[in-house]
Amino acid sequence: MSGFQDVRDVMDISGPSECTARAPPSKKQKTVEKRPDGITRELFALLGENPPPVAIVENKFKEKPRWMGKANPWVWKDFTNPARNDGLVLRHWERKSEESQALDYRFSKFNVKADIPSYSDGEYEVLKDPDWPREETDYLFNLCREYDLRFIIIWDRYDFLDGKTRSVEDLKARYYSVCRSLMELRTPLNQMSPEETQFFGMLDFDKERESARKKMAAVLFARTPAEVSEEEMLLAELKRIVMNQQRTLEERKDLFNRLEMPNSTGSIAPYTGSQGLAHLREMMVSSSDKNKKRKSIAMGGNGPDGAQQGPAVASAADKSGNTAAASQKEAPQLKKQVRKLTDDEEKEYGVMYHEKLSQGVKFRSTMVATNVKGGTAQKVQLALAQLEIAQKLTMPTAKTIKKYEQLQSAVGILLDTRKLLEKVEQELRVLKAQQEAAKEET
């Protein structure tokens, strides 16, 4: 019996070589896991090949620490603090090192002193103040050096013999004014660096503002709980009013935008000729016919439903006719009951009579009548703009619009009068010039 290789040779099929032939799969070797300590062999055999992840913790004592070397000894050492000027010697425990180094006390870096300027006799001639003598100024600067510009402590320790009673603001104002004048005296303002200019601006102390701030803080601190609650209520009411005002302004702006005429984007060129006008007329007639048909369908005039509703519509029409006739009979009685309002009642209820009103909804602010015409109207608008009077009134009531129209006419008359006055003055100057010229000739 021929083998598989003979069949491949007969069919001229090239097969893989022996080198490239697939090697038989190797058998999976079983990995033997090491049995952990603290568990018996029988129990470990019951776990199988995939034991659950159970951590086995044995209770053992803490291991003995392993020291890398010998412990460094500590010594009782003397030290001096560079921040002190009395030469006091103190002692503390310090780790002993092989090399003895004379280092400064580590906490001496926190001894930071304020930079208090000093002045000479010649410089003090510029720093003079009639309210502050030289001795009291020196006393103030000594306290500032001693207490590092802690003005509350300086004010508490301030006790100058035969001196005035000074407040904290007085001490600050005198100190900062001296520092500011001294800095400007030593370095002119135009020669200062940006850092020095910034520091020079920080030395400007406003005594009145600081006093007012402290008084206001004292008043706020002395408020009663009732006053605090009332102030909170007023602030909440003010916030609500502001929010309502903003919402009203937004709604009014939106309404103005809706009522404005939309900009036309199309062209009227196709409808300028006779043929275009005829086409436009046909389009309008056809659209009106379609609207009539829609109304008749909506009223139920056509179709079987409309025929069924005919008697009902007729009865409704009869009823409406009867009611109309009854209303005509009662009309004379109603006319007798109408009474005319007085002027005070018309003002109270806002009743107005108009000769002619245009169709559509309009704002009263857009219906302001301009009595001034021509080139004077533009000048009137410029004059009102200079007076900071808006063209659109915020509250366009009938009285306000009437006053606004009167103001426009008055400004127009004033401008016309000024124009005539300038013309007359110009003619007067011309006549005076002619008279002077005639006198000189004679």
Side-chain angles (χ1 to χ4, degrees):
M1 186 176 180
S2 60
F4 183 76
Q5 187 66 30
D6 297 335
V7 175
R8 297 177 67 88
D9 293 338
V10 171
M11 299 182 68
D12 197 11
I13 299 174
S14 62
S17 61
E18 294 180 359
C19 296
T20 59
R22 183 186 299 177
S26 59
K27 293 183 179 180
K28 186 178 181 181
Q29 296 180 358
K30 294 183 179 180
T31 57
V32 180
E33 297 183 2
K34 184 180 179 181
R35 179 170 60 87
D37 298 336
I39 185 171
T40 60
R41 180 173 56 81
E42 291 80 4
L43 181 59
F44 183 72
L46 293 175
L47 296 177
E49 297 181 358
N50 298 321
V54 179
I56 300 174
V57 181
E58 297 181 4
N59 295 326
K60 294 183 179 180
F61 293 105
K62 189 176 180 180
E63 296 181 358
K64 186 177 180 181
R66 298 177 182 178
W67 301 106
M68 299 301 294
K70 295 182 179 179
N72 292 332
W74 292 72
V75 294
W76 184 253
K77 190 175 180 180
D78 301 341
F79 72 94
T80 57
N81 189 354
R84 301 180 66 96
N85 299 323
D86 54 358
L88 179 65
V89 178
L90 302 174
R91 297 176 181 84
H92 64 174
W93 286 102
E94 191 178 40
R95 189 183 293 273
K96 183 179 179 181
S97 60
E98 295 180 359
E99 298 178 0
S100 59
Q101 299 177 358
L103 300 177
D104 294 336
Y105 185 55
R106 66 182 66 181
F107 296 104
S108 62
K109 61 183 179 181
F110 298 107
N111 184 35
V112 180
K113 291 288 185 179
D115 187 11
I116 309 298
S118 58
Y119 45 84
S120 62
D121 297 338
E123 290 174 342
Y124 187 78
E125 296 297 328
V126 184
L127 309 176
K128 281 184 177 181
D129 190 347
D131 193 32
W132 285 80
R134 172 68 183 272
E135 293 78 10
E136 190 173 0
T137 304
D138 295 341
Y139 177 72
L140 172 63
F141 271 73
N142 291 332
L143 288 180
C144 291
R145 292 188 186 92
E146 184 177 358
Y147 297 110
D148 293 334
L149 292 180
R150 297 179 178 89
F151 282 99
I152 299 299
I153 302 177
I154 294 171
W155 173 76
D156 185 63
R157 303 291 193 275
Y158 197 85
D159 188 13
F160 185 72
L161 297 176
D162 300 332
K164 297 181 181 179
T165 303
R166 307 289 186 180
S167 62
V168 181
E169 289 75 22
D170 295 334
L171 301 180
K172 286 184 178 181
R174 177 56 178 167
Y175 172 76
Y176 286 118
S177 64
V178 169
C179 292
R180 187 180 176 89
S181 303
L182 193 62
M183 187 176 180
E184 189 175 6
L185 180 63
R186 293 175 179 176
T187 306
L189 188 60
N190 55 359
Q191 298 180 4
M192 290 184 183
S193 62
E195 292 79 9
E196 292 177 346
T197 306
Q198 184 179 3
F199 183 71
F200 182 76
M202 294 172 60
L203 294 176
D204 188 9
F205 179 75
D206 194 350
K207 176 182 174 182
E208 296 180 357
R209 182 178 179 182
E210 184 69 13
S211 302
R213 185 190 67 82
K214 286 191 175 182
K215 289 180 181 178
M216 189 179 299
V219 171
L220 292 176
F221 185 74
R223 290 180 303 170
T224 60
E227 293 176 350
V228 173
S229 60
E230 183 181 359
E231 184 176 352
E232 291 177 353
M233 184 266 294
L234 292 175
L235 289 175
E237 187 69 17
L238 177 62
K239 185 178 180 180
R240 185 185 65 81
I241 291 172
V242 172
M243 292 178 63
N244 291 339
Q245 185 179 6
Q246 292 179 355
R247 185 170 61 252
T248 304
L249 291 176
E250 291 177 358
E251 292 177 354
R252 183 180 295 175
K253 184 178 179 182
D254 187 22
L255 188 57
F256 269 110
N257 294 333
R258 290 177 183 272
L259 291 177
E260 286 180 355
M261 183 66 67
N263 297 326
S264 59
T265 57
S267 176
I268 61 173
Y271 307 107
T272 53
S274 59
Q275 187 177 359
L277 291 174
H279 179 61
L280 180 61
R281 179 180 175 280
E282 290 177 1
M283 289 173 57
M284 295 175 65
V285 170
S286 62
S287 63
S288 62
D289 293 341
K290 289 180 181 179
N291 292 333
K292 288 179 180 178
K293 289 180 180 180
R294 289 175 183 172
K295 289 181 180 179
S296 61
I297 291 171
M299 294 297 293
N302 299 330
D305 296 338
Q308 292 177 3
Q309 293 175 2
V313 174
S315 61
D318 294 338
K319 291 180 180 178
S320 62
N322 295 332
T323 54
S327 62
Q328 290 179 359
K329 292 180 181 179
E330 295 176 358
Q333 298 178 1
L334 293 174
K335 288 182 179 178
K336 295 179 181 178
Q337 296 177 0
V338 175
R339 67 182 181 85
K340 188 176 181 181
L341 298 176
T342 61
D343 296 338
D344 295 337
E345 291 176 345
E346 289 179 357
K347 291 180 181 179
E348 182 179 359
Y349 300 117
V351 179
M352 297 180 63
Y353 302 98
H354 304 277
E355 296 180 358
K356 185 179 179 181
L357 290 176
S358 58
Q359 296 180 356
V361 180
K362 294 184 180 179
F363 280 101
R364 190 183 284 118
S365 59
T366 60
M367 299 172 63
V368 179
T370 56
N371 300 326
V372 185
K373 298 180 180 179
T376 312
Q378 189 175 4
K379 296 181 181 179
V380 169
Q381 297 296 333
L382 292 175
L384 294 177
Q386 291 178 358
L387 295 174
E388 297 181 356
I389 299 176
Q391 296 182 3
K392 289 186 178 180
L393 300 176
T394 307
M395 296 295 292
T397 59
K399 294 181 180 179
T400 309
I401 289 178
K402 187 177 180 181
K403 294 292 184 182
Y404 188 72
E405 292 174 354
Q406 293 177 359
L407 177 62
Q408 281 186 339
S409 59
V411 173
I413 294 170
L414 181 62
L415 292 175
D416 293 339
T417 307
R418 187 177 67 179
K419 185 177 180 181
L420 292 174
L421 179 61
E422 291 176 355
K423 185 177 180 181
V424 172
E425 288 178 352
Q426 181 65 22
E427 292 178 355
L428 183 61
R429 284 194 295 269
V430 172
L431 291 175
K432 284 183 178 179
Q434 291 178 357
Q435 289 179 359
E436 291 177 359
K439 288 181 181 179
E440 290 177 357
E441 291 178 357
T442 56

